[in-house]
Structures are given as C-alpha cells and as structure tokens.
Amino acid sequence: MELSDSVTHKNGRQRKPAVPQGDMSDGNRVRNTTPDLEEEGEALLRGSDTENNGQPSVQPGIRGELGNVSLLLFLYVLQGIPLGLAGSIPLILQSKNVSYKDQAFFSFVFWPFSLKLLWAPLVDALYLTWFGRRKSWLVPTQYLLGLFMLYLSVTVDTLLKSDEGQGPDVITLTAVFFMLAFLAATQDIAVDGWALTMLSRENVGYASTCNSVGQTAGYFLGNVLFLALESADFCNKYLRAEPKETGIVTLSDFLFFWGVVFLVSTTLVAIMKKENARGQHGRKKVREETQSVMETYKLLLSIIKMPAVFTFCSLLLTAKMGFSAADAVTGLKLVEAGVPKEQLALLAVPMVPLQVLLPLIISKYTAGPRPLDVFYKAFPFRLLIGLGYAVLVWWTPSLKQEGGFPLYYYTIVLFSYALHQVALYSMYVACMAFHAKVSDPVIGGTYMTLLNTVTNLGGNWPSTLALWMVDPLTSKECQGAAGQKCGSPEETGLCVKEGGVCVTSLDGYYVESVVCVLIGLTWWVWLGNRMRRLQDQSPAAWRCRIGQ
C-alpha cells in the first residue's frame, strides 16, 4: 500500500548510501579507473591539503562549508517538490472517479528516476566549460521545472475538471508530470555530481545526508503538506475557526508559488555560485575523470552480458510481481472506499522513526556473506501482508461513519503499514547489501547503479500492469434498467440515463490480490532458491572483464 512515496519510493527514486571518495554518486558518473589515473587522483587529493606555497591549509570542518551544504540541501528539497506533487495526483484523480486504466497510464510518471542511467552518461559528458560542468545541466533543467509549474498553475484546474460525461485530461497531466519527473531526475544527476566536488574531501560524506534529508523534506512539502492544506475538511477541523468550502491552498496556488521559487533560486545559483578550479579555502579541486559516452554504454552492456549478472537481473525484474496489487492499488482503493486522501498521507508521518531505525537493525543481519537469505525469508510475509491489505479494503466500507472513520480503524491501518515497512525494508536492505557485495570494485559505481536501476524497474512495471488490469478484471451489473450493461464508460452512461445504477459484482482488485499472491508464491518456491544460490557463486563470476 503506497500511503506515501517518501517511504517506498514508488517513483523509483531510492535513497542512496553515503558515497565513498573516488566513486560516483548513484552511478551517474563513471570514473576512469586505470592505475595511472588513480595514482594521479591520489596525488591530487594529497595536494589538496596544502596551499601553493607548500604550507598546510587550515582544516575548515563542516562549519567552513555550511554555505555549500545548505545549497545542496536546498537543491535536493527542490528536487523533492515535483516528486511529491506527482505522488499526490493519483489520490486526487481517484477522488474524481477516474478509471484504473487512467491511473496505470499516469503511473508512467514514476519511471524516469528508474531509467535515468540511460541518459546519465550524456549529462556527464556534454557541458559548457565556461559555464560549469554541472551548472550546464542544473540551470536549464530547473528553469524548465519552474516554467512547467507555472504552466500547470494556469491549466491544472481545467485538466483536473470533471464535467458531466468527461473526466480529467489524464493524457495531458501524464505528459506534463512525466516531463517534471524527467527534469527532476536530470537535476538529480547534476546535483549528485556537483556534490562530490562542491564539498571538500573530508566533508563529501554530507552529500548523501543532504540527499536523503532534502529530498524527503521536499517530498513531504509537495505531498503530505499539500494534501493536508488543500483539504477543506482537514483545514476546517484543525486550522480554522470558521469552516469554508475550500482548503487554505489550491493546487494552482501551490504550483505557482514553487514555480516562482524555482525560477528565482535558479537565477541566483546561475549568477552567484561558481564552479571554480579551486575548492573552498584555496584547495585544489579533484579532477573529475570521465569516460566517453560510448565507452560508458559499452561498459554497461558488458556487465549485463555476464551470466551471473544476467540471471540476477532477470530475477530482480520478476521478483515483485506478487506485491504489485498491494503496493500499487490498495491506497487508491481506500480512497475509493471513502478514506480521506490527506489522512492516508499523514499516516506516513509516524512511520519516519521506523524508516530510520529499520535499515540500522536489518543491516546487522545482511552484513554477512549471505544477505539474500533475509530477502528470501521476508518474501512470504510480504505476500501475506498483501492479502491482509485486501481484507482491510473489504472491511473499510462497513466502518465508515457520518463523521468519518473511527480512531481504531486508523490505528489498524497504521499497524498494517508498519508491518509492510518491516517486510519491504528487509528485502530492500538485503538487495542493496548483495549489490555492494558482488559489484566489481574496479567499476563499482556503474555496477551498483545498473543493479539498482533493474531493481527499481522490477517494481515499476508490475505496478503499472496491476493498475491497468483492475478494470478488465472487474465485473459490474446494471440494476434498475433492463437490457443495459456496465462494461464500458459509454455503457455505464446509458445505464444511468435509463434510470439504472451500475453495481460492482466482482472487484478486480480482489482477483488481482489472489492472483498476485499465487504468482509470488510460485516465484518464491521455484526461483527464490535460485536467487539464494547466486550467493554461492565465486567472486570471479561477478568480475567484469573490460575489453573482452
């Protein structure tokens, strides 16, 4: 159940671990790792601790780079805003009774972060030297993000408007938000690369902290906070003395405000922040070594061709089929059953401490030689939680009261969500640990990013398919109008016109839930052990023979 993408990252964007020096962030930059260049890089790093006159420089610590850290944090916050807004649109669409095929179509918005490896080498290799390697992409992408937001602020009410016989313009919404996600992913590539050179060697570890905290904060602003302030019920209940028919902010107001923030802040960065040849406090900046675009793509292809990697990628692409109905459809079904969308979003807030603690706890069990054993053991429990979600959706309408839902209902939802997070994080941390274990250290950044990309895609395509199949698997009957059917929107309209009403006789969500669990159990029995046996492969099976 996707109550908040800041937790499960349905959009494919997953939090990155701390970036080691000399590696690349999230695989967006590919370093040349020949011995001569490594020695040269080490010499540069040693030289960065001295001034030109040979005297040791003063170690600034984090206090000397608070400006750079603050800038990185702000850039990651900006990155999270469009992602949070994109995550709120499906809930808004669901409240307007769009079809699940429309929801499936909109779910392509969440794909760019999973596919950014395809164009990351271009961002790394093509730039204007006089303007700056990272600013050459950061500035135009953020300007475009601001302009798209301003465009949406004028048109979004029309696009979401649901007239009689005509619903929201899902195609245009998908196209615009897909571009927002694409631009945010491109901005992420540029910011990740800039972080490694903007900060000094001893402070570069703060880059991943800025990434995690900033993007989570931005997502919270664009999703949870927006949905709460946009809701008239929430504002009237908690924030107003006199009730009104609308929330404190509208989607168009929110988009306009952040569009202006993007344009103003990008202008300031373009003018005031320089990519100098020297780092802060007179330090030499470590030279960024890159391969050509074609060399990078050839390297990725050579990794995929390795038998062990190919098998592992095939398993990653199919492992999450059993969870697709629970992860992609449950939250929308709860909104359809009458649960306020802002309440679902706010339920993610108490989960934050759990999300912080879970990786720390689980990593103790995945640090050994067989991290995928944890993945294998958590798999059936996550499948059972999916069935529990189906029961929760079935039970929800019977608990609805005149004033909403009772407190114990939200307690049950929160508890089930916490159980889901335990199973999800167990599998996620296990996968990331195995990626780190098998990645060839010579090309570790590219290697790990490829595996992470495949992992994300393995969650994206089943979710899209699950949304797409809900309507075809649903059976409806027209009651009160003889001879009419409800198999399509047109037939539903005729049924209503003749004085009838369409009643769901079989909800495709329940069919999907059972089918997905059966598929998941089949995968666990037949392919789960095969994934575990990959841990028995020799280290040589995972080493990439470049040039062969």
PDB file of all heavy atoms in Angstrom, residues 44 67 72 74 90 96 119 202 225 227 294 315 329 334 345 348 396 434 455 465 493 508 518 524 531 544:
ATOM      1  N   LEU A  44      46.493  14.257  -6.305  1.00  0.00           N
ATOM      2  CA  LEU A  44      45.705  15.485  -6.211  1.00  0.00           C
ATOM      3  C   LEU A  44      45.053  15.625  -4.852  1.00  0.00           C
ATOM      4  O   LEU A  44      44.971  16.710  -4.278  1.00  0.00           O
ATOM      5  CB  LEU A  44      44.641  15.505  -7.317  1.00  0.00           C
ATOM      6  CG  LEU A  44      45.139  15.855  -8.721  1.00  0.00           C
ATOM      7  CD1 LEU A  44      44.023  15.614  -9.721  1.00  0.00           C
ATOM      8  CD2 LEU A  44      45.612  17.292  -8.788  1.00  0.00           C
ATOM      9  N   GLY A  67      27.735  26.940   3.856  1.00  0.00           N
ATOM     10  CA  GLY A  67      27.073  27.512   2.686  1.00  0.00           C
ATOM     11  C   GLY A  67      26.858  26.473   1.601  1.00  0.00           C
ATOM     12  O   GLY A  67      25.766  26.385   1.020  1.00  0.00           O
ATOM     13  N   LEU A  72      23.312  22.522  -1.212  1.00  0.00           N
ATOM     14  CA  LEU A  72      22.975  21.164  -1.631  1.00  0.00           C
ATOM     15  C   LEU A  72      21.640  20.727  -1.033  1.00  0.00           C
ATOM     16  O   LEU A  72      20.798  20.133  -1.720  1.00  0.00           O
ATOM     17  CB  LEU A  72      24.076  20.193  -1.202  1.00  0.00           C
ATOM     18  CG  LEU A  72      25.360  20.180  -2.016  1.00  0.00           C
ATOM     19  CD1 LEU A  72      26.369  19.228  -1.405  1.00  0.00           C
ATOM     20  CD2 LEU A  72      25.064  19.773  -3.458  1.00  0.00           C
ATOM     21  N   PHE A  74      19.155  22.588  -0.121  1.00  0.00           N
ATOM     22  CA  PHE A  74      18.079  23.323  -0.789  1.00  0.00           C
ATOM     23  C   PHE A  74      17.794  22.743  -2.179  1.00  0.00           C
ATOM     24  O   PHE A  74      16.630  22.594  -2.574  1.00  0.00           O
ATOM     25  CB  PHE A  74      18.459  24.792  -0.903  1.00  0.00           C
ATOM     26  CG  PHE A  74      17.433  25.632  -1.610  1.00  0.00           C
ATOM     27  CD1 PHE A  74      16.216  25.916  -1.018  1.00  0.00           C
ATOM     28  CD2 PHE A  74      17.688  26.131  -2.884  1.00  0.00           C
ATOM     29  CE1 PHE A  74      15.268  26.692  -1.677  1.00  0.00           C
ATOM     30  CE2 PHE A  74      16.755  26.900  -3.546  1.00  0.00           C
ATOM     31  CZ  PHE A  74      15.539  27.188  -2.938  1.00  0.00           C
ATOM     32  N   PRO A  90      -2.362  10.925  -8.227  1.00  0.00           N
ATOM     33  CA  PRO A  90      -3.227   9.738  -8.273  1.00  0.00           C
ATOM     34  C   PRO A  90      -4.332   9.760  -7.221  1.00  0.00           C
ATOM     35  O   PRO A  90      -5.453   9.309  -7.489  1.00  0.00           O
ATOM     36  CB  PRO A  90      -2.239   8.588  -8.019  1.00  0.00           C
ATOM     37  CG  PRO A  90      -0.940   9.092  -8.530  1.00  0.00           C
ATOM     38  CD  PRO A  90      -0.931  10.542  -8.182  1.00  0.00           C
ATOM     39  N   LYS A  96     -11.835  11.739  -8.044  1.00  0.00           N
ATOM     40  CA  LYS A  96     -12.667  12.162  -9.169  1.00  0.00           C
ATOM     41  C   LYS A  96     -13.146  10.975 -10.003  1.00  0.00           C
ATOM     42  O   LYS A  96     -13.628  11.142 -11.131  1.00  0.00           O
ATOM     43  CB  LYS A  96     -11.885  13.141 -10.048  1.00  0.00           C
ATOM     44  CG  LYS A  96     -11.538  14.448  -9.336  1.00  0.00           C
ATOM     45  CD  LYS A  96     -10.780  15.395 -10.237  1.00  0.00           C
ATOM     46  CE  LYS A  96     -10.478  16.711  -9.511  1.00  0.00           C
ATOM     47  NZ  LYS A  96     -11.705  17.462  -9.178  1.00  0.00           N
ATOM     48  N   TRP A 119      20.412   8.134 -19.716  1.00  0.00           N
ATOM     49  CA  TRP A 119      20.927   9.425 -20.228  1.00  0.00           C
ATOM     50  C   TRP A 119      21.935  10.076 -19.275  1.00  0.00           C
ATOM     51  O   TRP A 119      22.475  11.136 -19.572  1.00  0.00           O
ATOM     52  CB  TRP A 119      19.779  10.391 -20.525  1.00  0.00           C
ATOM     53  CG  TRP A 119      18.997  10.877 -19.347  1.00  0.00           C
ATOM     54  CD1 TRP A 119      19.249  11.993 -18.590  1.00  0.00           C
ATOM     55  CD2 TRP A 119      17.817  10.294 -18.775  1.00  0.00           C
ATOM     56  NE1 TRP A 119      18.316  12.131 -17.598  1.00  0.00           N
ATOM     57  CE2 TRP A 119      17.424  11.105 -17.683  1.00  0.00           C
ATOM     58  CE3 TRP A 119      17.049   9.165 -19.080  1.00  0.00           C
ATOM     59  CZ2 TRP A 119      16.302  10.819 -16.908  1.00  0.00           C
ATOM     60  CZ3 TRP A 119      15.948   8.877 -18.305  1.00  0.00           C
ATOM     61  CH2 TRP A 119      15.585   9.696 -17.241  1.00  0.00           C
ATOM     62  N   GLU A 202      37.012  15.840   3.168  1.00  0.00           N
ATOM     63  CA  GLU A 202      36.596  15.325   4.465  1.00  0.00           C
ATOM     64  C   GLU A 202      35.100  15.530   4.714  1.00  0.00           C
ATOM     65  O   GLU A 202      34.530  14.905   5.607  1.00  0.00           O
ATOM     66  CB  GLU A 202      37.399  15.989   5.597  1.00  0.00           C
ATOM     67  CG  GLU A 202      37.185  17.493   5.736  1.00  0.00           C
ATOM     68  CD  GLU A 202      38.178  18.297   4.912  1.00  0.00           C
ATOM     69  OE1 GLU A 202      38.773  17.737   3.969  1.00  0.00           O
ATOM     70  OE2 GLU A 202      38.356  19.488   5.210  1.00  0.00           O
ATOM     71  N   LEU A 225       2.092  17.725   3.080  1.00  0.00           N
ATOM     72  CA  LEU A 225       1.662  19.075   3.472  1.00  0.00           C
ATOM     73  C   LEU A 225       0.658  19.649   2.483  1.00  0.00           C
ATOM     74  O   LEU A 225      -0.348  20.252   2.887  1.00  0.00           O
ATOM     75  CB  LEU A 225       2.871  19.993   3.603  1.00  0.00           C
ATOM     76  CG  LEU A 225       2.573  21.417   4.085  1.00  0.00           C
ATOM     77  CD1 LEU A 225       2.009  21.389   5.502  1.00  0.00           C
ATOM     78  CD2 LEU A 225       3.822  22.288   4.037  1.00  0.00           C
ATOM     79  N   LEU A 227      -1.464  18.020   0.440  1.00  0.00           N
ATOM     80  CA  LEU A 227      -2.752  17.342   0.534  1.00  0.00           C
ATOM     81  C   LEU A 227      -3.518  17.781   1.784  1.00  0.00           C
ATOM     82  O   LEU A 227      -4.749  17.899   1.754  1.00  0.00           O
ATOM     83  CB  LEU A 227      -2.555  15.831   0.540  1.00  0.00           C
ATOM     84  CG  LEU A 227      -2.132  15.200  -0.795  1.00  0.00           C
ATOM     85  CD1 LEU A 227      -1.826  13.723  -0.610  1.00  0.00           C
ATOM     86  CD2 LEU A 227      -3.222  15.377  -1.849  1.00  0.00           C
ATOM     87  N   MET A 294      30.136   6.556 -25.360  1.00  0.00           N
ATOM     88  CA  MET A 294      30.094   5.208 -25.934  1.00  0.00           C
ATOM     89  C   MET A 294      30.805   4.199 -25.044  1.00  0.00           C
ATOM     90  O   MET A 294      30.350   3.060 -24.906  1.00  0.00           O
ATOM     91  CB  MET A 294      30.716   5.213 -27.333  1.00  0.00           C
ATOM     92  CG  MET A 294      29.899   5.965 -28.369  1.00  0.00           C
ATOM     93  SD  MET A 294      28.161   5.401 -28.427  1.00  0.00           S
ATOM     94  CE  MET A 294      28.375   3.670 -28.867  1.00  0.00           C
ATOM     95  N   LEU A 315      15.887 -12.172 -12.333  1.00  0.00           N
ATOM     96  CA  LEU A 315      15.153 -12.433 -11.102  1.00  0.00           C
ATOM     97  C   LEU A 315      14.651 -11.136 -10.469  1.00  0.00           C
ATOM     98  O   LEU A 315      13.526 -11.077  -9.965  1.00  0.00           O
ATOM     99  CB  LEU A 315      16.051 -13.186 -10.118  1.00  0.00           C
ATOM    100  CG  LEU A 315      16.438 -14.613 -10.537  1.00  0.00           C
ATOM    101  CD1 LEU A 315      17.489 -15.186  -9.601  1.00  0.00           C
ATOM    102  CD2 LEU A 315      15.221 -15.517 -10.569  1.00  0.00           C
ATOM    103  N   VAL A 329      -2.293  -0.596  -5.772  1.00  0.00           N
ATOM    104  CA  VAL A 329      -3.745  -0.396  -5.864  1.00  0.00           C
ATOM    105  C   VAL A 329      -4.399  -0.151  -4.509  1.00  0.00           C
ATOM    106  O   VAL A 329      -5.413   0.544  -4.431  1.00  0.00           O
ATOM    107  CB  VAL A 329      -4.410  -1.609  -6.562  1.00  0.00           C
ATOM    108  CG1 VAL A 329      -5.892  -1.331  -6.830  1.00  0.00           C
ATOM    109  CG2 VAL A 329      -3.701  -1.956  -7.860  1.00  0.00           C
ATOM    110  N   LEU A 334      -8.598   2.413  -0.921  1.00  0.00           N
ATOM    111  CA  LEU A 334      -9.031   3.009   0.335  1.00  0.00           C
ATOM    112  C   LEU A 334      -9.649   4.382   0.099  1.00  0.00           C
ATOM    113  O   LEU A 334     -10.653   4.738   0.736  1.00  0.00           O
ATOM    114  CB  LEU A 334      -7.850   3.111   1.297  1.00  0.00           C
ATOM    115  CG  LEU A 334      -7.304   1.785   1.843  1.00  0.00           C
ATOM    116  CD1 LEU A 334      -6.102   2.022   2.737  1.00  0.00           C
ATOM    117  CD2 LEU A 334      -8.394   1.031   2.616  1.00  0.00           C
ATOM    118  N   ALA A 345      -2.110  10.268   3.626  1.00  0.00           N
ATOM    119  CA  ALA A 345      -0.787  10.883   3.506  1.00  0.00           C
ATOM    120  C   ALA A 345      -0.184  11.148   4.876  1.00  0.00           C
ATOM    121  O   ALA A 345       1.012  10.916   5.104  1.00  0.00           O
ATOM    122  CB  ALA A 345      -0.890  12.181   2.701  1.00  0.00           C
ATOM    123  N   ALA A 348       1.829   8.583   7.025  1.00  0.00           N
ATOM    124  CA  ALA A 348       3.245   8.317   6.760  1.00  0.00           C
ATOM    125  C   ALA A 348       4.153   9.013   7.762  1.00  0.00           C
ATOM    126  O   ALA A 348       5.302   8.596   7.951  1.00  0.00           O
ATOM    127  CB  ALA A 348       3.601   8.772   5.345  1.00  0.00           C
ATOM    128  N   THR A 396     -13.231  -1.912   5.077  1.00  0.00           N
ATOM    129  CA  THR A 396     -13.283  -0.463   5.252  1.00  0.00           C
ATOM    130  C   THR A 396     -14.684   0.137   5.090  1.00  0.00           C
ATOM    131  O   THR A 396     -15.111   0.946   5.943  1.00  0.00           O
ATOM    132  CB  THR A 396     -12.294   0.215   4.287  1.00  0.00           C
ATOM    133  OG1 THR A 396     -10.954  -0.163   4.641  1.00  0.00           O
ATOM    134  CG2 THR A 396     -12.407   1.729   4.339  1.00  0.00           C
ATOM    135  N   PHE A 434      23.596  -7.097  -1.057  1.00  0.00           N
ATOM    136  CA  PHE A 434      24.131  -8.032  -2.062  1.00  0.00           C
ATOM    137  C   PHE A 434      24.728  -7.281  -3.246  1.00  0.00           C
ATOM    138  O   PHE A 434      25.749  -7.687  -3.794  1.00  0.00           O
ATOM    139  CB  PHE A 434      23.021  -8.979  -2.530  1.00  0.00           C
ATOM    140  CG  PHE A 434      23.520 -10.081  -3.426  1.00  0.00           C
ATOM    141  CD1 PHE A 434      24.335 -11.084  -2.923  1.00  0.00           C
ATOM    142  CD2 PHE A 434      23.188 -10.108  -4.776  1.00  0.00           C
ATOM    143  CE1 PHE A 434      24.795 -12.104  -3.747  1.00  0.00           C
ATOM    144  CE2 PHE A 434      23.649 -11.107  -5.600  1.00  0.00           C
ATOM    145  CZ  PHE A 434      24.453 -12.115  -5.087  1.00  0.00           C
ATOM    146  N   THR A 455      16.480  -3.145 -10.208  1.00  0.00           N
ATOM    147  CA  THR A 455      15.612  -3.348  -9.042  1.00  0.00           C
ATOM    148  C   THR A 455      14.407  -2.420  -9.086  1.00  0.00           C
ATOM    149  O   THR A 455      13.267  -2.834  -8.831  1.00  0.00           O
ATOM    150  CB  THR A 455      16.405  -3.116  -7.744  1.00  0.00           C
ATOM    151  OG1 THR A 455      17.515  -4.014  -7.699  1.00  0.00           O
ATOM    152  CG2 THR A 455      15.530  -3.350  -6.522  1.00  0.00           C
ATOM    153  N   LEU A 465       1.176  -2.516 -14.573  1.00  0.00           N
ATOM    154  CA  LEU A 465       0.326  -3.594 -15.082  1.00  0.00           C
ATOM    155  C   LEU A 465      -0.825  -3.888 -14.126  1.00  0.00           C
ATOM    156  O   LEU A 465      -1.966  -4.119 -14.564  1.00  0.00           O
ATOM    157  CB  LEU A 465       1.168  -4.855 -15.308  1.00  0.00           C
ATOM    158  CG  LEU A 465       0.425  -6.071 -15.887  1.00  0.00           C
ATOM    159  CD1 LEU A 465      -0.140  -5.754 -17.269  1.00  0.00           C
ATOM    160  CD2 LEU A 465       1.355  -7.283 -15.954  1.00  0.00           C
ATOM    161  N   GLY A 493     -22.858   5.076 -18.896  1.00  0.00           N
ATOM    162  CA  GLY A 493     -23.657   6.277 -19.119  1.00  0.00           C
ATOM    163  C   GLY A 493     -25.065   5.950 -19.585  1.00  0.00           C
ATOM    164  O   GLY A 493     -26.040   6.587 -19.141  1.00  0.00           O
ATOM    165  N   GLY A 508     -12.133  -6.301  -9.377  1.00  0.00           N
ATOM    166  CA  GLY A 508     -10.907  -6.853  -9.929  1.00  0.00           C
ATOM    167  C   GLY A 508      -9.724  -6.765  -8.979  1.00  0.00           C
ATOM    168  O   GLY A 508      -8.759  -7.537  -9.116  1.00  0.00           O
ATOM    169  N   LEU A 518      -0.516 -15.794  -5.567  1.00  0.00           N
ATOM    170  CA  LEU A 518      -0.203 -17.101  -6.154  1.00  0.00           C
ATOM    171  C   LEU A 518       1.044 -17.021  -7.039  1.00  0.00           C
ATOM    172  O   LEU A 518       1.905 -17.910  -6.989  1.00  0.00           O
ATOM    173  CB  LEU A 518      -1.397 -17.611  -6.969  1.00  0.00           C
ATOM    174  CG  LEU A 518      -2.649 -17.970  -6.158  1.00  0.00           C
ATOM    175  CD1 LEU A 518      -3.789 -18.375  -7.098  1.00  0.00           C
ATOM    176  CD2 LEU A 518      -2.337 -19.104  -5.176  1.00  0.00           C
ATOM    177  N   TRP A 524       8.566 -17.647  -5.386  1.00  0.00           N
ATOM    178  CA  TRP A 524       9.341 -17.938  -4.179  1.00  0.00           C
ATOM    179  C   TRP A 524       9.789 -19.391  -4.146  1.00  0.00           C
ATOM    180  O   TRP A 524      10.924 -19.706  -3.772  1.00  0.00           O
ATOM    181  CB  TRP A 524       8.490 -17.604  -2.955  1.00  0.00           C
ATOM    182  CG  TRP A 524       9.192 -17.756  -1.643  1.00  0.00           C
ATOM    183  CD1 TRP A 524      10.263 -17.059  -1.206  1.00  0.00           C
ATOM    184  CD2 TRP A 524       8.835 -18.650  -0.588  1.00  0.00           C
ATOM    185  NE1 TRP A 524      10.618 -17.456   0.062  1.00  0.00           N
ATOM    186  CE2 TRP A 524       9.752 -18.431   0.469  1.00  0.00           C
ATOM    187  CE3 TRP A 524       7.824 -19.602  -0.424  1.00  0.00           C
ATOM    188  CZ2 TRP A 524       9.690 -19.141   1.672  1.00  0.00           C
ATOM    189  CZ3 TRP A 524       7.763 -20.310   0.769  1.00  0.00           C
ATOM    190  CH2 TRP A 524       8.686 -20.076   1.797  1.00  0.00           C
ATOM    191  N   MET A 531      17.770 -17.617  -6.588  1.00  0.00           N
ATOM    192  CA  MET A 531      18.401 -16.358  -6.199  1.00  0.00           C
ATOM    193  C   MET A 531      19.358 -16.571  -5.038  1.00  0.00           C
ATOM    194  O   MET A 531      20.463 -16.009  -5.003  1.00  0.00           O
ATOM    195  CB  MET A 531      17.330 -15.320  -5.847  1.00  0.00           C
ATOM    196  CG  MET A 531      17.911 -13.995  -5.350  1.00  0.00           C
ATOM    197  SD  MET A 531      16.664 -12.734  -5.022  1.00  0.00           S
ATOM    198  CE  MET A 531      16.468 -12.031  -6.665  1.00  0.00           C
ATOM    199  N   CYS A 544      33.903  -8.033 -14.002  1.00  0.00           N
ATOM    200  CA  CYS A 544      33.720  -7.619 -15.399  1.00  0.00           C
ATOM    201  C   CYS A 544      35.076  -7.590 -16.099  1.00  0.00           C
ATOM    202  O   CYS A 544      36.007  -6.921 -15.634  1.00  0.00           O
ATOM    203  CB  CYS A 544      33.063  -6.245 -15.468  1.00  0.00           C
ATOM    204  SG  CYS A 544      32.719  -5.676 -17.133  1.00  0.00           S
TER     205      CYS A 544
END
